[in-house]
Amino acid sequence: MNIFQLVRDHVSAALERMRDMNELPRDTDFSNIATEPPRDPAHGDVTTNAALALAKKAGMKPRDLAERLAGLLAGHPDIAQVEVAGPGFLNMRLDDAVWPRLLQAVLEAGEDFGRSAIGRGRKVNVEYVSANPTGPMHVGHVRGAVFGDALAALLEFTGHAVTREYYINDAGAQVEVLARSAYLRYREALGEDIGDIPPGLYPGDYLKPVGRALAEKYGPALLDRPEAEWLPLVRDVAIAAMMELIRADLAALGITHEVFFSERTLHDEGRIEAALKELEERGLVYVGRLPPPKGKPPEDWEDREQLLFRATQFGDDSDRPLKKSDGSYTYFAADVAYLHDKIGRGYDQLVYVLGADHGGYAKRLEAVNAALSEGRVRLVVRLCQLVRLFRGGQPVKMSKRAGEFVTLREVVDEVGPDVTRFMMLTRKNDAPLDFDFEKVREQSRDNPVFYVQYAHARICSVLRAAEREVAADELRGPADFSRLGDAAERALVRRIAAFPRLLEQAAAAHEPHRVAFWLLELAGDFHALWNKGKEFPHLRFIVADDPELMRTRLAFLRAIRYCLANGLSILGVRAVDEM
RNA sequence: GGUCCCGUAGCUCAGCCGGAUAGAGCACCGGAUUCCUAAUCCGGGGGUCGCAGGUUCGAAUCCUGCCGGGACCGCCA
C-alpha cells in the first residue's frame, strides 16, 4: 500500500470529473502532477501541486483551481481535511482509518512490503564489477560491486526483470601479460629459480598455484616450445583460475552474477565484424584521421589513417577508432559488439556501472547505443567515485606500482560483508567515500550499520521479552492501530508510509543509497520512540495493564521490523536478531 | 585545449521528475539511566546553498558564463 499513490488516484479521479464537466480541456495531461509528503508535517500528510501544474492549461488562477479541487476531494472517506495553501498547494490530512490499513498491509505483505510493479517487467541488464581477470579483486572494485548489486536488487524489487552481468576482459594485451606471468610461475613450479619477477609482469603470489596447476597438467612439455604455442594454453588456464578467484571474492560479499560474458567470444565468433557491418550499413564507419589530443604532449602520436566510428554524429566529442595500428580490433570495437549483443538479447534498459576513471566512456557508449538501437533501448551509465581508506583517521597507503593494494578479501575479512556493503552505500555513487576500518566497527551512533542493525535487534529483543514475560492468551487477539497516537509513533508510521514511494524513486533514479539513508531515518525514529518509553512508561511496548494496546504495539514493532529487514535486504545486508 | 563529476552549517553529507520557513549526523553547550540492551535518546546555538546572470507564479534543484577541487582525454583495458 502506497498512500501517495492512493491520494494520487483520488486526485486524478477528481480531475477527470472536472474534465468530464468541461472545466478542464479535453486533452489535459495529468502525468506531471505529484502527490508528495510535505516537508513540514504541520502541512498534513500528503500535498499535491495539481492546481499549480494545471492552472495555465485550465485558464484558471492556481488558487481558484485548488479551491475547486478541494471541494471535490473533501467528501472522500480517506481524506479527513483538505486545505489550500501558499500559491495553490493542496494539503491533505488523511483520515485516521488510513493508517491502521497501512500497518495491516505491511503485516500482510511482510517481506514483500515495498515491492511494486512500476518496472512493468521491463528487461534490465545491469553490468557491474567486470574486473580484469588478472588477479584478485582489490578495494577499488568493491564500491562498484556493491552498488551494482544493490541497484540490481532494487530494480528487481520494483518490478524489473533483471540480469546481473559480468564482462570478462579475456582478450588483449593484459591477459597475455597474465599468461607470461603464469608461465614464469610454471617454470618455478618445475624447480627453476626465476629470481625477481621482471617489471611489467604480475608479481603476486596468487599466480603460484596457477604455475603448479600448469606443471601438473603439462609436466615439462611447455618448457621448450615457442611462446606462440604455449601462450594460448597458459592463458586459458590462468584466466579460468583468476575467474575462480574473482567469483570467490564476490561470493564473500554475497554477489552472484547470472551471466559472465567473455570478450574473447566476440573476437572468435566473428561478432565484431557482424556488429561493425551493421554500423557500416548505416554509413557510420569510415577511414580517416583523428586530430591529436590537445593540451597533452603527443609523445608517441603517430598520425595515421584508421577505421573510425562516427560517434560525433551522436553527441560524442570525437570519432572513435575501431582498429589498432597492427590491424587488430580496439577494445572499443569489442564494446560495440558487446552492446550489439545485449541489444539483440532484447533488453529495454542497459545499465553500466563503471569506475569514475571511465567517465569518458559514457558518451561513446551512448553513441553506439543510439546508432544500434535507434532509441529503443535506454542506456544508463553510473559512475562510482573512489573509496579512500583510513585506519583511525590515518590514510592507508597503497602503491599500485609496487603491487601493494588492499584486496577486497582483506576488507571483508576484517569488517565483514554487512559492514562493507552498507558503508559503500552511505554516500551517493558520484561522491568520493571515506572508509575507516576502525570507525566502521565501532558500536556507536557514529556507525550507521550498527545503528540500523541495532534497531532491528532491539525490536527482536522486545518481541522475545514479550514471549517470555507475557501470558500467551494476552498475546492473542486483535490489535487496534488507531491507538497509536503519540507523536513519536506517528512519525514512525509516516516513515513507513514513505517506503514504497522511496523505493520507486530510488529505482527510477538508479540510486540505491537512498534506501540506506531512509533506513537510518527509520532507525532514528525507532530509537527515539524507544527512549521516550523510558521517560514515559505508558509509551513502552510491553504494557501490562492493557493487553490490546500491547498487542497493537507488538504488531507495530513487527511492521517496523519488516521495513528494516526489507530495506536491508535490498542492500544485501543481514538483519540481525541480537547483537 | 576538451569532456565528465563535485562545491549546501566549523566538519562529513542528505535534499525526492523545480514547490511553502533548506535538513541530518558529528563537534560544541545543557539535560535524561529504579529501564523491553544508556551500544540509546531529548533540547539549544549555528547556513549570502561557490559567484553572476537567465527561464519560471516559484530555483539548492533547470540553462549559460565564471571561480575553486577531482577524474579522464587515439593505437591500454
Side-chain angles (χ1 to χ4, degrees), chain A residues 159-179:
Chain A
H160 301 80
V162 176
T163 303
R164 297 163 176 80
E165 187 150 327
Y166 185 120
Y167 183 56
I168 309 171
N169 297 127
D170 53 2
Q174 293 218 2
V175 288
E176 294 188 0
V177 172
L178 172 73

Side-chain angles (χ1 to χ4, degrees), chain A residues 386-398:
Chain A
L386 292 177
V387 177
R388 292 182 300 212
L389 289 181
F390 294 85
R391 188 176 292 280
Q394 294 301 309
V396 175
K397 290 210 170 81
M398 283 184 284

Side-chain angles (χ1 to χ4, degrees), chain A residues 256-283:
Chain A
T256 317
H257 291 80
E258 280 105 33
V259 176
F260 285 84
F261 193 101
S262 157
E263 178 189 359
R264 198 126 55 86
T265 61
L266 296 169
H267 292 268
D268 294 350
E269 296 169 12
R271 296 160 79 177
I272 296 183
E273 287 81 353
L276 296 192
K277 190 163 168 251
E278 221 170 283
L279 289 180
E280 229 175 298
E281 282 163 4
R282 294 166 205 227

Side-chain angles (χ1 to χ4, degrees), chain A residues 141-443:
Chain A
H141 298 119
V142 173
R143 192 170 183 188
V146 171
F147 175 86
D149 205 51
L151 175 59
L154 175 61
L155 291 172
E156 216 156 50
F157 207 65
T158 48
H160 301 80
V162 176
T163 303
R164 297 163 176 80
E165 187 150 327
Y166 185 120
Y167 183 56
I168 309 171
N169 297 127
D170 53 2
Q174 293 218 2
V175 288
E176 294 188 0
V177 172
L178 172 73
R180 290 188 194 102
S181 309
Y183 186 71
L184 212 55
R185 295 299 188 183
Y186 159 72
R187 283 162 45 194
E188 182 182 44
L190 290 172
E192 194 175 323
D193 179 8
I194 58 168
D196 291 339
I197 305 291
L201 294 187
Y202 299 117
D205 286 347
Y206 57 85
L207 286 173
K208 285 184 178 171
V210 180
R212 286 195 293 271
L214 284 164
E216 211 165 290
K217 183 168 179 186
Y218 292 105
L222 302 181
L223 281 179
D224 43 11
R225 292 167 68 178
E227 179 178 294
E229 284 180 32
W230 59 253
L231 192 134
L233 303 173
V234 173
R235 185 188 58 197
D236 287 0
V237 170
I239 289 173
M242 294 305 104
M243 284 313 296
E244 276 314 301
L245 217 59
I246 288 170
R247 279 178 210 246
D249 283 349
L250 288 170
L253 263 182
I255 295 173
T256 317
H257 291 80
E258 280 105 33
V259 176
F260 285 84
F261 193 101
S262 157
E263 178 189 359
R264 198 126 55 86
T265 61
L266 296 169
H267 292 268
D268 294 350
E269 296 169 12
R271 296 160 79 177
I272 296 183
E273 287 81 353
L276 296 192
K277 190 163 168 251
E278 221 170 283
L279 289 180
E280 229 175 298
E281 282 163 4
R282 294 166 205 227
L284 298 172
V285 174
Y286 69 102
V287 174
R289 293 170 188 278
L290 282 179
K294 289 174 182 166
K296 218 174 106 179
E299 293 165 23
D300 55 348
W301 177 265
E302 167 201 350
D303 188 30
R304 66 176 188 91
E305 295 229 304
Q306 52 191 339
L307 194 65
L308 296 165
F309 164 58
R310 236 177 257 287
T312 46
Q313 194 168 316
F314 303 94
D316 199 357
D317 314 306
S318 165
D319 288 341
R320 300 295 169 181
L322 296 162
K323 275 191 179 177
K324 305 182 206 171
S325 47
D326 67 0
S328 65
Y329 289 110
T330 59
Y331 180 83
F332 174 67
D335 238 18
V336 171
Y338 184 33
L339 193 46
H340 180 250
D341 182 88
K342 282 180 176 171
I343 292 169
R345 281 186 270 156
Y347 291 109
D348 301 298
Q349 189 179 128
L350 302 176
V351 181
Y352 285 78
V353 178
L354 303 174
D357 54 342
H358 288 67
Y361 234 71
K363 278 193 179 181
R364 74 194 70 169
L365 285 176
E366 272 154 22
V368 176
N369 179 52
L372 289 176
S373 86
E374 298 180 314
R376 287 191 313 276
V377 176
R378 179 173 173 206
L379 187 132
V380 176
V381 176
R382 292 280 107 162
L383 302 176
C384 288
Q385 275 291 348
L386 292 177
V387 177
R388 292 182 300 212
L389 289 181
F390 294 85
R391 188 176 292 280
Q394 294 301 309
V396 175
K397 290 210 170 81
M398 283 184 284
S399 158
K400 213 173 184 180
R401 233 180 315 166
E404 296 167 19
F405 44 76
V406 176
T407 63
L408 174 148
R409 201 49 87 91
E410 286 170 317
V411 176
V412 174
D413 285 351
E414 182 165 344
V415 306
D418 293 320
V419 169
T420 308
R421 292 187 62 120
F422 196 99
M423 288 308 301
M424 290 298 144
L425 296 164
T426 52
R427 204 108 304 173
K428 74 184 158 201
N429 57 290
D430 46 17
L433 183 150
D434 292 348
F435 183 98
D436 192 312
F437 280 101
E438 288 179 13
K439 243 186 185 161
V440 300
R441 285 188 303 171
E442 258 173 42
Q443 303 217 325

Side-chain angles (χ1 to χ4, degrees), chain A residues 414-486:
Chain A
E414 182 165 344
V415 306
D418 293 320
V419 169
T420 308
R421 292 187 62 120
F422 196 99
M423 288 308 301
M424 290 298 144
L425 296 164
T426 52
R427 204 108 304 173
K428 74 184 158 201
N429 57 290
D430 46 17
L433 183 150
D434 292 348
F435 183 98
D436 192 312
F437 280 101
E438 288 179 13
K439 243 186 185 161
V440 300
R441 285 188 303 171
E442 258 173 42
Q443 303 217 325
S444 76
R445 180 70 184 86
D446 290 354
N447 178 354
V449 199
F450 164 78
Y451 189 69
V452 173
Q453 288 198 317
Y454 184 40
H456 189 270
R458 257 187 169 169
I459 289 172
C460 293
S461 164
V462 181
L463 295 175
R464 280 194 303 267
E467 290 288 334
R468 204 167 53 230
E469 293 162 16
V470 179
D473 59 319
E474 290 198 348
L475 292 176
R476 278 192 297 272
D480 179 1
F481 288 123
S482 67
R483 298 188 63 182
L484 300 174
D486 186 79

